[in-house]
Amino acid sequence: MTVILSYLADLVAIGILVLGLYFPRHRRRDLVVAYLGVNIGVMAVSTVLLSGAVGLGLGLGLFGVLSIIRLRSDELAQHEIAYYFSALALGLLSGLSTEPLWLTITLMIVIVSAMWVGDHPALFRGYRRQIVTVDRAIENEQALVAHLEQRLGADVKHITVMKLDLVNDTTMVDVRYRLDPARTMYAPKSADDLDRAPETLR
């Protein structure tokens, strides 16, 4: 009975995680299938490993190999990797069926709650990250920050110059910034508006 309740708790938790949090926020259907498949698969295999002759260490090692293969097969954002390992952890918790049951359910609630808070749209609203290629080779960091703030209409918090090409006169930079409503209120809303945008936004 405890095992069945643990499985039901996992189904509820993965349903909330994937269908209640991830898909409504990010709308990527292929990863919904991946998260559900990983969770159910891990739950099933870990149950067999726990009751069979195969060592648990070997089974967890196989899970690690499969995780590496899955993560290398497609480009995933950091939040998608977090959802992936949350689905993996929920499957392991239910498959291993630790006693007492309330501990397993509590840990599942902690995982789902952490993802709900950490990926909430209201958390650090306005902060962005982009890889930007500037059509000028700007060696001075302060000048580069000022140029990026003008072009992005944002408050640049941190930059990392990835490539400074003095031959082709370009700069590739990793930019962490916060949107500034005062700067973006006159930003063009369409391609036609771009020609009418203030010169400072170009």
Side-chain angles (χ1 to χ4, degrees), residues 29 55 65 94:
R29 181 181 179 276
V65 173
S94 61

Side-chain angles (χ1 to χ4, degrees), residues 32 36 39 42 44 48 52 56-60 68 79 85 92 96 107-108 111 115 132 152 158 170 196:
V32 170
L36 293 175
N39 176 264
V42 167
V48 173
L56 183 59
L58 175 60
L60 293 177
I68 293 173
H79 67 275
F85 281 105
L92 283 174
L96 296 178
L107 292 174
M108 290 180 177
I111 292 173
M115 293 303 299
V132 178
L152 296 173
H158 178 78
T170 59
R196 299 191 295 273

